[in-house]
Amino acid sequence: MSDTGPSPRSTTPRTVLISGASIAGPALAYWLHRYGFAVTVVERAPELRTGGYKVDIRGAAVEAAERMGILEDIQRASTDMRTGAYVNDDGRRIATLPADIFGARVGRDDEIMRGDLARILYEHTRADVEYLFGDSITSITSTTSTASVTEVTERAVGHHEADGPNGVNGVNGVNVTFEHAAPRRFDLVVGADGLHSTVRRLAFGPEEQFVRHLGAYISAFSMPNELGLDREELYHALPGRLICAYSSAGDPAAKGLLVFRSPRLSYDHRDRQQQLALLEAAFEGVGAEASQAGGWGQVPRMLEAAREAGDFYFDGMQLIEMDRWSHGRVVLLGDAAHCPSPASGQGTGMALVGAYVLAGELAAAGRTPEEAFGRYETEMRGYVAVNHALARKFARDMTADTRRQIRFRHLMMRILPHMPWKNLIAKKIAEDVQRAAQAITLKDYPVPHRAAGPASAAARPTYAA
């Protein structure tokens, strides 16, 4: 698929460039294609990223997934976690509960590995959407003048491309240059490229003005399943730190998760060695023999696995807070717009919901992109605010201050299964999460029936020049 760029009177589908092929980007691509848009997704990684930790699909996200037709795929790929337990320094289980209580899941809520969800979304869109892997956006320039796109591009990148179908006069749009691909013009550009969004930086300014650090860092990675875990997650708490190991259905390996409290640190988020050094410093001596630090004996093995893992992840527990998510014909989606941090457990669900809402508002008849972006924000703002509040609360709760607090938590978890009102307590535990997961009511946007081939001309909404 290639972008030929519509003329002012064209009835061809509107062209949209989405940056990011994780969750939000492909989910939006799915809906936009159904509405008759021509969609391109650009992704910095050379291929689909299939790593990552487990993510929850709760509340409104379940409904969004069902409307997409991927809910059954998610259920088939469920982690099928059975139990969660806290362990002491020797690895002995001291408190065990059903995994759904740990995950605050009720009803049809489910859990899936992030990589499995990315694969599902990719498989549902790859035949209809152009994917550009191994590339990234380098500049974004709005076009509203009578200068051709090629003339604007020449000024921006210092070379001239022969005039072709992309040289459109007097049409609103966005000129985009890439690290590798030739410059192109799109009607809309969507930044669905995560916490460290390139599109956000280019269109709105440096990341630092939007980041709110929640006082902790998290790392996730694959590791050998030496503990023989079977759909079980083990937690070990130390003051200011949390350690987790788990295995999910169908995966012979295990996953490690390390969390530690810290003020905001200065490092390159693309420099793995810097990240490993920070992680090892935070857990230095933990679990090691003859160490005064104490802690679970699995931690040194986990740090070794982190060094070797092909899917190593490290980042801050951070919110993205912005006054607005759009600028001209550029709009942000998912973590790029409103990252709720891993502390909320809601980022993936919010991405699915946001994609549904943004596509529906863009496809509404008689509405300019700017109006659609405004309505998208109106629909999403309350939902985001509730989930940000949840993240602030959980970021504090994930790590305890003292060993006394840890012992008290263990005691409460140990006696919970024996309490006659345990179901009521479990419901209370899930209450805050469920309130956040259900803090939006999805509108019913009319969606055309899927055709065997490209969308018909009658189903293709267009923008005026």
Side-chain angles (χ1 to χ4, degrees):
M1 181 189 298
S2 61
D3 172 39
T4 58
S7 69
R9 296 178 179 84
S10 174
T11 59
T12 57
R14 291 169 287 185
T15 56
V16 181
L17 174 65
I18 300 171
S19 178
S22 180
I23 305 301
L28 179 66
Y30 170 87
W31 285 113
L32 289 180
H33 168 71
R34 288 197 63 183
Y35 285 119
F37 290 73
V39 184
T40 298
V41 178
V42 61
E43 167 59 46
R44 178 184 298 275
E47 58 188 10
L48 190 68
R49 302 185 193 201
T50 56
Y53 44 75
K54 53 191 177 71
V55 296
D56 284 287
I57 311 296
R58 305 186 185 98
V62 175
E63 186 177 351
E66 185 171 43
R67 295 186 185 193
M68 289 182 72
I70 64 169
L71 184 58
E72 290 186 0
D73 294 321
I74 290 172
Q75 291 168 343
R76 282 191 291 269
S78 173
T79 60
D80 193 29
M81 301 299 291
R82 299 185 302 178
T83 61
Y86 271 88
V87 299
N88 62 12
D89 291 0
D90 297 326
R92 182 173 60 85
R93 291 158 177 77
I94 54 179
T96 301
L97 291 172
D100 281 351
I101 291 182
F102 273 88
R105 292 182 291 273
V106 301
R108 296 193 299 168
D109 294 355
D110 216 325
E111 186 181 62
I112 185 172
M113 298 305 295
R114 192 215 63 84
D116 287 338
L117 181 57
R119 174 185 51 77
I120 289 169
L121 291 167
Y122 178 64
E123 292 300 327
H124 277 261
T125 55
R126 62 183 301 182
D128 305 310
V129 171
E130 178 188 22
Y131 278 88
L132 301 177
F133 286 102
D135 211 341
S136 183
I137 296 172
T138 55
S139 72
I140 299 171
T141 308
S142 296
T143 301
T144 55
S145 70
T146 57
S148 71
V149 170
T150 50
E151 290 169 343
V152 174
T153 300
E154 179 185 9
R155 292 195 293 268
V157 300
H159 68 276
H160 183 75
E161 298 284 343
D163 286 341
N166 281 353
V168 181
N169 291 328
V171 179
N172 291 324
V174 186
N175 299 318
V176 180
T177 62
F178 301 90
E179 287 185 0
H180 304 295
R184 291 164 65 174
R185 190 197 68 78
F186 298 87
D187 292 324
L188 305 172
V189 172
V190 181
D193 43 355
L195 172 63
H196 304 294
S197 169
T198 295
V199 172
R200 187 182 61 233
R201 174 176 55 81
L202 293 173
F204 296 87
E207 175 180 303
E208 289 71 20
Q209 61 186 311
F210 308 116
V211 171
R212 307 293 179 262
H213 183 58
L214 297 181
Y217 285 82
I218 184 171
S219 179
F221 45 87
S222 293
M223 55 184 274
N225 192 359
E226 297 176 352
L227 294 169
L229 301 175
D230 180 13
R231 290 164 291 172
E232 179 183 23
E233 47 197 326
L234 302 181
Y235 291 89
H236 181 74
L238 293 170
R241 287 165 289 191
L242 181 66
I243 299 125
C244 175
Y246 65 89
S247 75
S248 59
D251 188 352
K255 299 288 184 181
L257 195 72
L258 299 173
V259 179
F260 65 94
R261 281 193 193 171
S262 171
R264 192 169 181 188
L265 300 170
S266 177
Y267 66 96
D268 183 346
H269 72 267
R270 293 201 179 104
D271 190 326
R272 174 177 175 137
Q273 294 308 313
Q274 284 188 36
Q275 296 168 15
L276 283 166
L278 293 172
L279 184 66
E280 290 171 349
F283 287 88
E284 183 177 7
V286 173
E289 294 183 10
S291 169
Q292 299 300 312
W296 191 16
Q298 286 294 317
V299 173
R301 296 185 184 89
M302 294 176 71
L303 291 173
E304 182 179 352
R307 289 190 288 270
E308 302 296 327
D311 58 355
F312 175 77
Y313 168 85
F314 178 94
D315 217 327
M317 296 277 198
Q318 296 169 338
L319 303 180
I320 293 295
E321 295 182 333
M322 303 183 70
D323 292 335
R324 59 181 304 175
W325 303 332
S326 65
H327 180 75
R329 291 202 170 184
V330 179
V331 66
L332 302 177
L333 174 67
D335 281 357
H338 48 67
C339 177
S341 88
S344 72
Q346 286 288 100
T348 298
M350 293 172 72
L352 293 177
V353 169
Y356 173 81
V357 173
L358 177 57
E361 296 296 342
L362 282 170
R367 189 173 296 166
T368 67
E370 293 78 8
E371 289 171 332
F373 295 159
R375 289 176 179 265
Y376 153 65
E377 287 203 35
T378 298
E379 289 294 310
M380 292 288 293
R381 280 289 180 181
Y383 179 51
V384 169
V386 173
N387 281 282
H388 276 194
L390 181 73
R392 292 188 184 94
K393 177 182 184 298
F394 280 6
R396 293 190 300 268
D397 292 348
M398 285 180 75
T399 55
D401 292 321
T402 66
R403 289 188 179 274
R404 182 177 180 179
Q405 287 181 341
I406 293 169
R407 286 194 297 269
F408 179 75
R409 288 184 184 182
H410 291 173
L411 175 62
M412 292 297 98
M413 293 181 63
R414 190 182 299 122
I415 65 177
L416 178 59
H418 307 290
M419 291 180 175
W421 53 87
K422 62 183 178 183
N423 291 334
L424 182 62
I425 294 176
K427 182 179 178 181
K428 182 63 178 176
I429 292 172
E431 201 170 75
D432 288 344
V433 175
Q434 288 299 317
R435 185 182 302 112
Q438 299 174 24
I440 186 172
T441 300
L442 299 187
K443 291 166 63 174
D444 292 324
Y445 299 106
V447 180
H449 294 296
R450 298 190 70 176
S456 67
R460 294 170 178 169
T462 57
Y463 291 145

